[in-house]
Amino acid sequence: MKLATYKDGSRDGQLVVVSRDLSTAHYATGIASKLQHVLDDWNFVSPQLQDLSDSLNSGKARHAFPFNPAQCMAPLPRAYQWADGSAFINHVELVRKARNAEVPATFYTDPLMYQGGSDDFMGPLDNVVVASEKYGIDFEAEIAVITGDVPMRATPDQALDGVRLLMLANDVSLRNLIPDELAKGFGFVQSKPATAFGPVAVTPDEVGDAWRGGRLHLTLQSTWNGRKVGMCDAGDEMTFHFGQLIAHLCKTRNVRAGSVIGSGTVSNKDWSKGYSCIAEKRAIETIEDGAPKTVFMKFGDTIRLEVKGKDGQSVFGAIEQEITPLI
């Protein structure tokens, strides 16, 4: 099934079920009003939502209406936890090679992860509001999952069983703020503003065998200012699958229902597939030519991210955002 959250003036919005082709929707009123309610009682509530989804897809839902992504908040508008990994080691290799730095051996055996802000996610069509272009505005095209409860010390296989929903994400980065933050040795804060998520979250069964081994084996398309810059495979080159990322997170603590875990920038060794963030393009230019040429995003720039299934239909709907100044 596919789930979205409509704006209703509240912080958490109103849960809707969306048809497989993203054409129609139906309020989940009477079953659950918020997505967090579903995640908290998944085994009881999700079958009821599945029944509504089946009715919607068969054209039998009595109060269906046209689905409008412009009405969407993030599927989970705020979460108890947002932890973003860097599961595509090729991305790390490129960035480090561009500054003549070695990749530590542990990076290949132990996932990188940071704890981001989860109190204020952006919807799929919300503007990215930034105070200054000098911050080095970048998009990051990623896949994310929402979990149920996962106990401390869960194995990767056990952790993978905790995946409830898949999402599309734009983990916005302010690249010029990162060096000073990392130099303090305590991680990201100001360099990682609110993250945006695609219109709908989907259960893994919606993508069929494209979801296997804890990875989404589909192409993530990135379009910057109307020009397609990335057609990156989100599956095969994901060094750490989502079960491993979640297990890393819950090594010393429980992970509770409603936690969101990101894959990090989707990255491929074949440069002809393009890029999922500008920093990677700049790293490639530095490796090839000695210096970066591509500038970061400016006010008025647009970014569009989308994943299409094997049937050619959009899986999550599209993230479409404009970079705008803080007024």
Side-chain angles (χ1 to χ4, degrees):
M1 60 186 166
K2 298 190 174 186
L3 304 174
T5 295
Y6 259 31
K7 299 173 182 177
D8 66 355
S10 72
R11 291 182 185 272
D12 298 306
Q14 186 71 33
L15 182 66
V16 298
V17 177
V18 183
S19 62
R20 184 167 290 114
D21 64 1
L22 305 182
S23 65
T24 58
H26 195 290
Y27 283 108
T29 309
I31 301 174
S33 59
K34 317 294 182 191
L35 181 53
Q36 185 61 49
H37 297 173
V38 183
L39 297 163
D40 286 336
D41 198 6
W42 183 264
N43 290 337
F44 178 73
V45 179
S46 65
Q48 299 175 62
L49 291 175
Q50 184 63 61
D51 288 343
L52 178 55
S53 176
D54 292 342
S55 295
L56 188 62
N57 285 318
S58 64
K60 297 178 181 178
R62 293 181 56 193
H63 302 292
F65 52 86
F67 177 59
N68 181 10
Q71 286 293 107
C72 288
M73 307 171 76
L76 189 61
R78 52 180 176 167
Y80 288 113
Q81 180 167 216
W82 159 235
D84 196 24
S86 187
F88 290 82
I89 199 67
N90 182 67
H91 173 73
V92 179
E93 290 172 340
L94 282 174
V95 172
R96 285 185 165 252
K97 185 176 181 180
R99 62 175 193 261
N100 295 313
E102 293 290 329
V103 178
T106 56
F107 281 32
Y108 295 90
T109 58
D110 196 35
L112 287 170
M113 186 171 284
Y114 82 90
Q115 192 90 43
S118 60
D119 57 326
D120 183 30
F121 291 148
M122 288 186 284
L125 274 64
D126 291 347
N127 291 338
V128 179
V129 180
V130 184
S132 173
E133 290 179 343
K134 294 179 180 179
Y135 289 169
I137 308 162
D138 199 356
F139 67 91
E140 285 194 49
E142 304 186 8
I143 304 300
V145 301
I146 307 177
T147 74
D149 288 330
V150 182
M152 189 190 317
R153 304 291 291 179
T155 67
D157 285 345
Q158 292 168 337
L160 196 55
D161 287 339
V163 171
R164 297 288 179 258
L165 296 162
L166 314 179
M167 294 192 295
L168 174 65
N170 179 18
D171 179 44
V172 180
S173 289
L174 304 178
R175 298 294 183 185
N176 293 340
L177 300 185
I178 288 177
D180 286 345
E181 288 204 300
L182 291 184
K184 296 177 180 179
F186 217 53
F188 303 126
V189 177
Q190 294 172 343
S191 53
K192 288 290 188 176
T195 300
F197 292 92
V200 301
V202 311
T203 49
D205 62 286
E206 283 290 335
V207 295
D209 64 3
W211 175 253
R212 60 184 186 274
R215 301 170 175 88
L216 182 64
H217 294 265
L218 293 173
T219 299
L220 203 170
Q221 304 177 18
S222 301
T223 304
W224 179 16
N225 290 336
R227 176 173 170 263
K228 193 169 291 182
V229 296
M231 290 287 289
C232 296
D233 182 351
D236 287 340
E237 295 183 54
M238 188 178 183
T239 309
F240 301 101
H241 63 67
F242 278 107
Q244 292 169 301
L245 293 178
I246 298 165
H248 175 82
L249 181 61
C250 69
K251 181 177 180 178
T252 59
R253 54 179 162 165
N254 296 313
V255 170
R256 295 306 189 189
S259 293
V260 185
I261 290 85
S263 67
T265 303
V266 173
S267 179
N268 296 157
K269 291 185 181 298
D270 181 355
W271 293 354
S272 69
K273 294 182 179 180
Y275 52 92
S276 299
C277 71
I278 301 167
E280 190 163 301
K281 173 63 171 174
R282 287 166 59 87
I284 292 171
E285 290 169 345
T286 300
I287 293 166
E288 290 186 324
D289 305 318
K293 295 178 291 186
T294 302
V295 298
F296 290 116
M297 302 180 85
K298 304 294 185 181
F299 295 141
D301 280 10
T302 59
I303 183 64
R304 187 179 196 277
L305 308 178
E306 188 172 24
V307 173
K308 292 185 178 180
K310 294 180 179 179
D311 58 1
Q313 293 188 334
S314 184
V315 175
F316 307 102
I319 293 175
E320 298 185 78
Q321 298 182 280
E322 181 178 336
I323 310 300
T324 60
L326 179 64
I327 299 175

PDB file of all heavy atoms in Angstrom, residues 1-3 20 38 42 46 49-50 53 163-167 200-208 211 216 315-316:
ATOM      1  N   MET A   1       0.841  -1.198   0.000  1.00  0.00           N
ATOM      2  CA  MET A   1       0.000   0.000   0.000  1.00  0.00           C
ATOM      3  C   MET A   1       0.877   1.249   0.000  1.00  0.00           C
ATOM      4  O   MET A   1       2.073   1.194   0.289  1.00  0.00           O
ATOM      5  CB  MET A   1      -0.918   0.003   1.219  1.00  0.00           C
ATOM      6  CG  MET A   1      -0.213  -0.013   2.552  1.00  0.00           C
ATOM      7  SD  MET A   1      -1.383  -0.175   3.906  1.00  0.00           S
ATOM      8  CE  MET A   1      -0.266  -0.583   5.248  1.00  0.00           C
ATOM      9  N   LYS A   2       0.270   2.362  -0.360  1.00  0.00           N
ATOM     10  CA  LYS A   2       0.956   3.636  -0.402  1.00  0.00           C
ATOM     11  C   LYS A   2       0.226   4.619   0.507  1.00  0.00           C
ATOM     12  O   LYS A   2      -1.003   4.725   0.453  1.00  0.00           O
ATOM     13  CB  LYS A   2       1.015   4.173  -1.834  1.00  0.00           C
ATOM     14  CG  LYS A   2       1.790   3.254  -2.782  1.00  0.00           C
ATOM     15  CD  LYS A   2       2.053   3.893  -4.135  1.00  0.00           C
ATOM     16  CE  LYS A   2       2.950   2.994  -4.998  1.00  0.00           C
ATOM     17  NZ  LYS A   2       3.353   3.641  -6.256  1.00  0.00           N
ATOM     18  N   LEU A   3       1.001   5.316   1.328  1.00  0.00           N
ATOM     19  CA  LEU A   3       0.433   6.210   2.329  1.00  0.00           C
ATOM     20  C   LEU A   3       1.016   7.601   2.192  1.00  0.00           C
ATOM     21  O   LEU A   3       2.198   7.762   1.878  1.00  0.00           O
ATOM     22  CB  LEU A   3       0.711   5.670   3.740  1.00  0.00           C
ATOM     23  CG  LEU A   3       0.238   4.249   4.035  1.00  0.00           C
ATOM     24  CD1 LEU A   3       0.711   3.812   5.418  1.00  0.00           C
ATOM     25  CD2 LEU A   3      -1.280   4.150   3.944  1.00  0.00           C
ATOM     26  N   ARG A  20      -2.135   2.843  -6.264  1.00  0.00           N
ATOM     27  CA  ARG A  20      -0.840   2.398  -6.766  1.00  0.00           C
ATOM     28  C   ARG A  20      -0.315   3.308  -7.875  1.00  0.00           C
ATOM     29  O   ARG A  20       0.888   3.555  -7.969  1.00  0.00           O
ATOM     30  CB  ARG A  20      -0.959   0.952  -7.264  1.00  0.00           C
ATOM     31  CG  ARG A  20       0.350   0.338  -7.733  1.00  0.00           C
ATOM     32  CD  ARG A  20       0.227  -1.158  -7.897  1.00  0.00           C
ATOM     33  NE  ARG A  20       0.086  -1.829  -6.600  1.00  0.00           N
ATOM     34  CZ  ARG A  20      -1.015  -2.474  -6.206  1.00  0.00           C
ATOM     35  NH1 ARG A  20      -2.072  -2.535  -7.011  1.00  0.00           N
ATOM     36  NH2 ARG A  20      -1.057  -3.055  -5.028  1.00  0.00           N
ATOM     37  N   VAL A  38      -0.291   4.450  13.065  1.00  0.00           N
ATOM     38  CA  VAL A  38      -0.171   3.182  12.339  1.00  0.00           C
ATOM     39  C   VAL A  38       1.106   2.459  12.747  1.00  0.00           C
ATOM     40  O   VAL A  38       1.105   1.251  13.006  1.00  0.00           O
ATOM     41  CB  VAL A  38      -0.179   3.429  10.816  1.00  0.00           C
ATOM     42  CG1 VAL A  38      -0.117   2.103  10.064  1.00  0.00           C
ATOM     43  CG2 VAL A  38      -1.401   4.229  10.397  1.00  0.00           C
ATOM     44  N   TRP A  42       1.186  -1.392  14.306  1.00  0.00           N
ATOM     45  CA  TRP A  42       1.249  -1.840  12.911  1.00  0.00           C
ATOM     46  C   TRP A  42       0.461  -3.123  12.651  1.00  0.00           C
ATOM     47  O   TRP A  42      -0.304  -3.200  11.690  1.00  0.00           O
ATOM     48  CB  TRP A  42       2.706  -2.032  12.501  1.00  0.00           C
ATOM     49  CG  TRP A  42       2.894  -2.430  11.064  1.00  0.00           C
ATOM     50  CD1 TRP A  42       3.056  -3.690  10.570  1.00  0.00           C
ATOM     51  CD2 TRP A  42       2.907  -1.547   9.939  1.00  0.00           C
ATOM     52  NE1 TRP A  42       3.192  -3.650   9.209  1.00  0.00           N
ATOM     53  CE2 TRP A  42       3.108  -2.348   8.795  1.00  0.00           C
ATOM     54  CE3 TRP A  42       2.795  -0.167   9.789  1.00  0.00           C
ATOM     55  CZ2 TRP A  42       3.180  -1.805   7.520  1.00  0.00           C
ATOM     56  CZ3 TRP A  42       2.870   0.378   8.506  1.00  0.00           C
ATOM     57  CH2 TRP A  42       3.049  -0.435   7.400  1.00  0.00           C
ATOM     58  N   SER A  46      -2.395  -1.878  10.142  1.00  0.00           N
ATOM     59  CA  SER A  46      -1.999  -1.958   8.733  1.00  0.00           C
ATOM     60  C   SER A  46      -2.901  -2.872   7.893  1.00  0.00           C
ATOM     61  O   SER A  46      -3.153  -2.554   6.719  1.00  0.00           O
ATOM     62  CB  SER A  46      -0.535  -2.377   8.607  1.00  0.00           C
ATOM     63  OG  SER A  46      -0.310  -3.679   9.088  1.00  0.00           O
ATOM     64  N   LEU A  49      -5.759  -0.770   6.737  1.00  0.00           N
ATOM     65  CA  LEU A  49      -5.358   0.141   5.676  1.00  0.00           C
ATOM     66  C   LEU A  49      -5.147  -0.603   4.360  1.00  0.00           C
ATOM     67  O   LEU A  49      -5.446  -0.077   3.282  1.00  0.00           O
ATOM     68  CB  LEU A  49      -4.070   0.861   6.075  1.00  0.00           C
ATOM     69  CG  LEU A  49      -4.172   1.861   7.219  1.00  0.00           C
ATOM     70  CD1 LEU A  49      -2.790   2.396   7.576  1.00  0.00           C
ATOM     71  CD2 LEU A  49      -5.108   3.013   6.871  1.00  0.00           C
ATOM     72  N   GLN A  50      -4.660  -1.845   4.455  1.00  0.00           N
ATOM     73  CA  GLN A  50      -4.467  -2.648   3.248  1.00  0.00           C
ATOM     74  C   GLN A  50      -5.806  -2.926   2.580  1.00  0.00           C
ATOM     75  O   GLN A  50      -5.921  -2.889   1.342  1.00  0.00           O
ATOM     76  CB  GLN A  50      -3.760  -3.953   3.581  1.00  0.00           C
ATOM     77  CG  GLN A  50      -3.424  -4.807   2.362  1.00  0.00           C
ATOM     78  CD  GLN A  50      -2.457  -4.118   1.424  1.00  0.00           C
ATOM     79  OE1 GLN A  50      -1.329  -3.809   1.817  1.00  0.00           O
ATOM     80  NE2 GLN A  50      -2.874  -3.884   0.178  1.00  0.00           N
ATOM     81  N   SER A  53      -6.732   0.130   0.796  1.00  0.00           N
ATOM     82  CA  SER A  53      -5.888   0.240  -0.391  1.00  0.00           C
ATOM     83  C   SER A  53      -6.390  -0.655  -1.514  1.00  0.00           C
ATOM     84  O   SER A  53      -6.453  -0.250  -2.680  1.00  0.00           O
ATOM     85  CB  SER A  53      -4.444  -0.118  -0.031  1.00  0.00           C
ATOM     86  OG  SER A  53      -3.615  -0.120  -1.169  1.00  0.00           O
ATOM     87  N   VAL A 163      11.660  -3.026   8.978  1.00  0.00           N
ATOM     88  CA  VAL A 163      11.334  -2.018   7.963  1.00  0.00           C
ATOM     89  C   VAL A 163       9.840  -2.077   7.643  1.00  0.00           C
ATOM     90  O   VAL A 163       9.315  -3.123   7.266  1.00  0.00           O
ATOM     91  CB  VAL A 163      12.161  -2.238   6.680  1.00  0.00           C
ATOM     92  CG1 VAL A 163      11.665  -1.319   5.553  1.00  0.00           C
ATOM     93  CG2 VAL A 163      13.629  -1.988   6.950  1.00  0.00           C
ATOM     94  N   ARG A 164       9.183  -0.949   7.785  1.00  0.00           N
ATOM     95  CA  ARG A 164       7.746  -0.869   7.511  1.00  0.00           C
ATOM     96  C   ARG A 164       7.446  -0.184   6.177  1.00  0.00           C
ATOM     97  O   ARG A 164       6.573  -0.621   5.437  1.00  0.00           O
ATOM     98  CB  ARG A 164       7.046  -0.101   8.642  1.00  0.00           C
ATOM     99  CG  ARG A 164       7.141  -0.770  10.007  1.00  0.00           C
ATOM    100  CD  ARG A 164       6.254  -2.004  10.066  1.00  0.00           C
ATOM    101  NE  ARG A 164       6.339  -2.675  11.357  1.00  0.00           N
ATOM    102  CZ  ARG A 164       7.038  -3.762  11.601  1.00  0.00           C
ATOM    103  NH1 ARG A 164       7.720  -4.336  10.610  1.00  0.00           N
ATOM    104  NH2 ARG A 164       7.051  -4.311  12.792  1.00  0.00           N
ATOM    105  N   LEU A 165       8.163   0.898   5.892  1.00  0.00           N
ATOM    106  CA  LEU A 165       7.853   1.704   4.716  1.00  0.00           C
ATOM    107  C   LEU A 165       9.135   2.214   4.070  1.00  0.00           C
ATOM    108  O   LEU A 165      10.145   2.426   4.746  1.00  0.00           O
ATOM    109  CB  LEU A 165       6.976   2.898   5.113  1.00  0.00           C
ATOM    110  CG  LEU A 165       5.587   2.572   5.666  1.00  0.00           C
ATOM    111  CD1 LEU A 165       5.020   3.769   6.421  1.00  0.00           C
ATOM    112  CD2 LEU A 165       4.639   2.164   4.542  1.00  0.00           C
ATOM    113  N   LEU A 166       9.081   2.431   2.764  1.00  0.00           N
ATOM    114  CA  LEU A 166      10.180   2.997   1.994  1.00  0.00           C
ATOM    115  C   LEU A 166       9.797   4.405   1.549  1.00  0.00           C
ATOM    116  O   LEU A 166       8.626   4.685   1.267  1.00  0.00           O
ATOM    117  CB  LEU A 166      10.469   2.149   0.753  1.00  0.00           C
ATOM    118  CG  LEU A 166      10.549   0.627   0.917  1.00  0.00           C
ATOM    119  CD1 LEU A 166      10.810  -0.023  -0.448  1.00  0.00           C
ATOM    120  CD2 LEU A 166      11.614   0.248   1.913  1.00  0.00           C
ATOM    121  N   MET A 167      10.797   5.280   1.459  1.00  0.00           N
ATOM    122  CA  MET A 167      10.549   6.659   1.036  1.00  0.00           C
ATOM    123  C   MET A 167      11.681   7.169   0.145  1.00  0.00           C
ATOM    124  O   MET A 167      12.765   6.596   0.089  1.00  0.00           O
ATOM    125  CB  MET A 167      10.422   7.594   2.244  1.00  0.00           C
ATOM    126  CG  MET A 167       9.218   7.352   3.125  1.00  0.00           C
ATOM    127  SD  MET A 167       8.944   8.701   4.314  1.00  0.00           S
ATOM    128  CE  MET A 167      10.414   8.566   5.342  1.00  0.00           C
ATOM    129  N   VAL A 200       4.659  10.024  -1.113  1.00  0.00           N
ATOM    130  CA  VAL A 200       4.101   8.817  -0.508  1.00  0.00           C
ATOM    131  C   VAL A 200       5.198   7.906   0.044  1.00  0.00           C
ATOM    132  O   VAL A 200       6.309   7.853  -0.479  1.00  0.00           O
ATOM    133  CB  VAL A 200       3.224   8.013  -1.499  1.00  0.00           C
ATOM    134  CG1 VAL A 200       2.065   8.853  -2.012  1.00  0.00           C
ATOM    135  CG2 VAL A 200       4.044   7.472  -2.655  1.00  0.00           C
ATOM    136  N   ALA A 201       4.849   7.233   1.114  1.00  0.00           N
ATOM    137  CA  ALA A 201       5.662   6.141   1.652  1.00  0.00           C
ATOM    138  C   ALA A 201       5.004   4.839   1.219  1.00  0.00           C
ATOM    139  O   ALA A 201       3.766   4.740   1.219  1.00  0.00           O
ATOM    140  CB  ALA A 201       5.733   6.231   3.173  1.00  0.00           C
ATOM    141  N   VAL A 202       5.794   3.844   0.857  1.00  0.00           N
ATOM    142  CA  VAL A 202       5.237   2.605   0.316  1.00  0.00           C
ATOM    143  C   VAL A 202       5.724   1.399   1.103  1.00  0.00           C
ATOM    144  O   VAL A 202       6.864   1.374   1.583  1.00  0.00           O
ATOM    145  CB  VAL A 202       5.572   2.440  -1.184  1.00  0.00           C
ATOM    146  CG1 VAL A 202       5.243   3.706  -1.958  1.00  0.00           C
ATOM    147  CG2 VAL A 202       7.029   2.074  -1.396  1.00  0.00           C
ATOM    148  N   THR A 203       4.856   0.417   1.245  1.00  0.00           N
ATOM    149  CA  THR A 203       5.284  -0.847   1.838  1.00  0.00           C
ATOM    150  C   THR A 203       6.176  -1.570   0.828  1.00  0.00           C
ATOM    151  O   THR A 203       6.000  -1.433  -0.393  1.00  0.00           O
ATOM    152  CB  THR A 203       4.081  -1.720   2.205  1.00  0.00           C
ATOM    153  OG1 THR A 203       3.177  -1.789   1.082  1.00  0.00           O
ATOM    154  CG2 THR A 203       3.347  -1.160   3.415  1.00  0.00           C
ATOM    155  N   PRO A 204       7.162  -2.329   1.302  1.00  0.00           N
ATOM    156  CA  PRO A 204       8.117  -2.961   0.373  1.00  0.00           C
ATOM    157  C   PRO A 204       7.469  -3.829  -0.697  1.00  0.00           C
ATOM    158  O   PRO A 204       7.995  -3.936  -1.817  1.00  0.00           O
ATOM    159  CB  PRO A 204       8.998  -3.795   1.312  1.00  0.00           C
ATOM    160  CG  PRO A 204       8.985  -3.034   2.604  1.00  0.00           C
ATOM    161  CD  PRO A 204       7.577  -2.504   2.712  1.00  0.00           C
ATOM    162  N   ASP A 205       6.327  -4.440  -0.396  1.00  0.00           N
ATOM    163  CA  ASP A 205       5.692  -5.303  -1.386  1.00  0.00           C
ATOM    164  C   ASP A 205       5.235  -4.536  -2.629  1.00  0.00           C
ATOM    165  O   ASP A 205       5.042  -5.138  -3.692  1.00  0.00           O
ATOM    166  CB  ASP A 205       4.495  -6.037  -0.761  1.00  0.00           C
ATOM    167  CG  ASP A 205       3.421  -5.081  -0.290  1.00  0.00           C
ATOM    168  OD1 ASP A 205       3.628  -4.427   0.749  1.00  0.00           O
ATOM    169  OD2 ASP A 205       2.368  -4.987  -0.947  1.00  0.00           O
ATOM    170  N   GLU A 206       5.088  -3.211  -2.509  1.00  0.00           N
ATOM    171  CA  GLU A 206       4.643  -2.405  -3.646  1.00  0.00           C
ATOM    172  C   GLU A 206       5.669  -2.388  -4.787  1.00  0.00           C
ATOM    173  O   GLU A 206       5.310  -2.118  -5.930  1.00  0.00           O
ATOM    174  CB  GLU A 206       4.351  -0.970  -3.207  1.00  0.00           C
ATOM    175  CG  GLU A 206       3.034  -0.786  -2.477  1.00  0.00           C
ATOM    176  CD  GLU A 206       1.824  -0.946  -3.384  1.00  0.00           C
ATOM    177  OE1 GLU A 206       1.953  -0.726  -4.608  1.00  0.00           O
ATOM    178  OE2 GLU A 206       0.752  -1.301  -2.873  1.00  0.00           O
ATOM    179  N   VAL A 207       6.923  -2.648  -4.479  1.00  0.00           N
ATOM    180  CA  VAL A 207       7.953  -2.615  -5.529  1.00  0.00           C
ATOM    181  C   VAL A 207       8.386  -4.017  -5.951  1.00  0.00           C
ATOM    182  O   VAL A 207       9.308  -4.179  -6.749  1.00  0.00           O
ATOM    183  CB  VAL A 207       9.185  -1.791  -5.091  1.00  0.00           C
ATOM    184  CG1 VAL A 207       8.787  -0.336  -4.906  1.00  0.00           C
ATOM    185  CG2 VAL A 207       9.815  -2.339  -3.829  1.00  0.00           C
ATOM    186  N   GLY A 208       7.720  -5.031  -5.424  1.00  0.00           N
ATOM    187  CA  GLY A 208       7.993  -6.404  -5.838  1.00  0.00           C
ATOM    188  C   GLY A 208       9.427  -6.821  -5.579  1.00  0.00           C
ATOM    189  O   GLY A 208      10.002  -6.505  -4.536  1.00  0.00           O
ATOM    190  N   TRP A 211      12.727  -4.782  -4.285  1.00  0.00           N
ATOM    191  CA  TRP A 211      13.174  -4.727  -2.888  1.00  0.00           C
ATOM    192  C   TRP A 211      13.714  -6.107  -2.524  1.00  0.00           C
ATOM    193  O   TRP A 211      12.972  -7.062  -2.344  1.00  0.00           O
ATOM    194  CB  TRP A 211      12.027  -4.337  -1.962  1.00  0.00           C
ATOM    195  CG  TRP A 211      12.373  -4.385  -0.496  1.00  0.00           C
ATOM    196  CD1 TRP A 211      11.952  -5.321   0.404  1.00  0.00           C
ATOM    197  CD2 TRP A 211      13.199  -3.473   0.248  1.00  0.00           C
ATOM    198  NE1 TRP A 211      12.453  -5.047   1.665  1.00  0.00           N
ATOM    199  CE2 TRP A 211      13.231  -3.920   1.594  1.00  0.00           C
ATOM    200  CE3 TRP A 211      13.916  -2.331  -0.098  1.00  0.00           C
ATOM    201  CZ2 TRP A 211      13.950  -3.244   2.583  1.00  0.00           C
ATOM    202  CZ3 TRP A 211      14.620  -1.659   0.895  1.00  0.00           C
ATOM    203  CH2 TRP A 211      14.635  -2.120   2.211  1.00  0.00           C
ATOM    204  N   LEU A 216      16.841  -1.191  -2.462  1.00  0.00           N
ATOM    205  CA  LEU A 216      15.860  -0.893  -3.501  1.00  0.00           C
ATOM    206  C   LEU A 216      16.574  -0.857  -4.847  1.00  0.00           C
ATOM    207  O   LEU A 216      17.329   0.081  -5.147  1.00  0.00           O
ATOM    208  CB  LEU A 216      15.179   0.452  -3.223  1.00  0.00           C
ATOM    209  CG  LEU A 216      14.092   0.850  -4.227  1.00  0.00           C
ATOM    210  CD1 LEU A 216      12.921  -0.137  -4.187  1.00  0.00           C
ATOM    211  CD2 LEU A 216      13.612   2.273  -3.968  1.00  0.00           C
ATOM    212  N   VAL A 315       7.115   5.541  -8.252  1.00  0.00           N
ATOM    213  CA  VAL A 315       6.903   4.753  -7.042  1.00  0.00           C
ATOM    214  C   VAL A 315       6.440   5.628  -5.878  1.00  0.00           C
ATOM    215  O   VAL A 315       5.449   5.333  -5.213  1.00  0.00           O
ATOM    216  CB  VAL A 315       8.192   4.008  -6.644  1.00  0.00           C
ATOM    217  CG1 VAL A 315       8.001   3.277  -5.304  1.00  0.00           C
ATOM    218  CG2 VAL A 315       8.598   3.022  -7.726  1.00  0.00           C
ATOM    219  N   PHE A 316       7.151   6.729  -5.647  1.00  0.00           N
ATOM    220  CA  PHE A 316       6.901   7.581  -4.483  1.00  0.00           C
ATOM    221  C   PHE A 316       6.280   8.921  -4.852  1.00  0.00           C
ATOM    222  O   PHE A 316       6.024   9.738  -3.964  1.00  0.00           O
ATOM    223  CB  PHE A 316       8.221   7.887  -3.760  1.00  0.00           C
ATOM    224  CG  PHE A 316       9.028   6.675  -3.394  1.00  0.00           C
ATOM    225  CD1 PHE A 316      10.138   6.308  -4.149  1.00  0.00           C
ATOM    226  CD2 PHE A 316       8.698   5.896  -2.288  1.00  0.00           C
ATOM    227  CE1 PHE A 316      10.901   5.195  -3.808  1.00  0.00           C
ATOM    228  CE2 PHE A 316       9.455   4.782  -1.950  1.00  0.00           C
ATOM    229  CZ  PHE A 316      10.557   4.434  -2.705  1.00  0.00           C
TER     230      PHE A 316
END
